[in-house]
Amino acid sequence: MRGPLIAIIALSLVYWGVAALSPVAIGQWQDDGIYVCTAKALAEGRGYRHIQIPGEPWQTKYPILYPALLAAAWLFHPQFPQNAALLLAPGAVAAAVFVVMSSLYLRRVFGESWITAGILGGLAALSPAVVSIVRFTMSETVYAALAVSALYCLDARTQRPTAGVRGGWTALSAALAALAMLTRSIGITLAAAAITALLLRRRWRDAIIAAAVIAALLTPWQLWKRSADAANGPLQTTALLAPDLVYGLWTPQNAEQVVRAVVQNTVRVAMTLGMYQLALPLEWFVGAVMKPGPVSGLAHGICYFLLLLLVLGYGVSVWRGWTALHLAALLYAGLVLVWPFDPYRFVVPWTPFVIYFVFAGVRATHDGLARLARLTPPSLSRDVVCGALGLAALTCFAIDDIRMLRSTRKEYYARDLGPIDLTEFDATAAWVREHALEHEVCASAYSAWLYLATGRQSYYFWPVSDPYDVFYGPDRKLSQFFAIPSPREYDRLTSQLGGSLEKMFREARITYYVEHAAANPATIVMMKTRDGQSWLRPAFTTPGKQATVFTLVSRP
């Protein structure tokens, strides 16, 4: 293990350097800002709370492990953004563990050569999906490190293990799976896969051990969560708070919703493979898929071909011998497909295995075509094909990575978010700090960021009552991305925002509404909805006109 350990240390330093030297952009996801705010609350002894929200409700939506790691940074250096480098350290180290352990899995479980495992691991390490996420305080890499380590402990073979040794590895695997679930709720798929794999292998004793360990580690969190949910009480149904406090809004209510989400998310997964995982040129790709014609057909064709290769590679791998990883991937994919949210973030923890299954699909396709032609599949030609694909991927990765490394505050590039002018956020925060009193409440698409930047508590600015209808409308074209609503989705958003938003804002005692241009579909509709509204008055617009601060006009 000396080589992998050295690789983890070296790659951790590289990722941490990339994260620490990049302009601070924490809060651009909203989730990353929430993680930091709740970590601050833990470090200050205020409990696991949304301190960025008025009333500071308990945080019961996201598990506690990742914020607890971030809390150490607040304890060591309690000044933001000066402590940003420390806040980014857990994600950077976890990303390195995740990539290296994935390579070990390819070698020890899937039986690939050290050269193949090393090359594919190197591609995963350079993937813009991974390099981009380490610059934000997101939990994906921590979850991925725990998940792949759990699967490695469960699937890796040892030489004639005794019952005690095997039980020890099972307990360790189960503990890591439980910690993964304490990092992200979707870790339930990993826990289910681990126990199911043991049962299918008729390892009854080990299955009992795994279930007991998982239950022991998760029970305290579940008990606390139930108590905190009760303490939050009616806050969980408040329109502006519900999206931050509960997952209930995002669970399917009927079969029609499930089918609609699965169909559209399958298309989104295909787009994710081309746009995020294999880093096709961003501007070309987005422009191509939105304009009917030969170029659009090419872009879509590449994505669906990659999806076909991925499925084929996965199937071939299962045929050679199923593992707990195959079960975990299947359960994970199933949950992602029914969830009404763009799946590109959910694929990040699987980046090395996505790359592996795509290349496995290429190898299987090459060998199958050779057999159809009644030729003996020459390994050299197969290696040439895989090498050419790897070189193309490496080129795309390098271009995107260099673009991210050259980010400035004026032009910050994130593969997932596109180019961002952070100076516009700086100007907004400066105005709010100067004009908003400490007790005054704001609303913003980046409410957690606003609290970190100004100390003013904020609500997320719009209610989500039916995400399946708002983001998965039946008239949405399958070529459209999450940020482009269909006509019916626009109508639903307009109806939600226009009819009751003023009442919601006034009941929440909101003084300022901070609007960021094109932050998401709701913002676009909000910009139209507020036109002609007498209850909102523009008070400040940033130099680049990317953000506007509105004040609520008092009723006569």
Side-chain angles (χ1 to χ4, degrees), residues 7 32 38 63 78 98 102 151 164 194 204 208 234 275 309 321 342 401 404 445 502 512 524 532 535:
D32 58 339
T38 50
F98 154 52
S102 298
L151 292 168
W204 316 118
I208 294 173
M275 187 173 182
L309 290 174
D342 208 12
D401 289 343
M404 284 188 280
E502 179 184 0
Y512 297 97
I524 299 172
W535 60 280

Side-chain angles (χ1 to χ4, degrees), residues 95-121:
V97 173
F98 154 52
V99 169
V100 174
M101 288 302 298
S102 298
S103 297
L104 280 177
Y105 191 98
L106 297 182
R107 170 60 180 159
R108 290 289 305 276
V109 180
F110 286 160
E112 298 292 339
S113 66
W114 279 116
I115 294 177
T116 300
I119 291 174
L120 295 179

Side-chain angles (χ1 to χ4, degrees), residues 114-165:
W114 279 116
I115 294 177
T116 300
I119 291 174
L120 295 179
L123 278 176
L126 294 172
S127 169
V130 178
V131 175
S132 182
I133 205 77
V134 299
R135 302 178 300 164
F136 300 92
T137 50
M138 297 293 281
S139 61
E140 273 76 5
T141 59
V142 175
Y143 169 80
L146 292 167
V148 73
S149 297
L151 292 168
Y152 180 85
C153 292
L154 194 63
D155 287 336
R157 305 292 191 268
T158 57
Q159 295 295 327
R160 296 182 181 178
T162 63
V165 170

Side-chain angles (χ1 to χ4, degrees), residues 340-351:
F341 200 83
D342 208 12
Y344 66 91
R345 262 183 56 202
F346 294 100
V347 181
V348 172
W350 290 90
T351 295

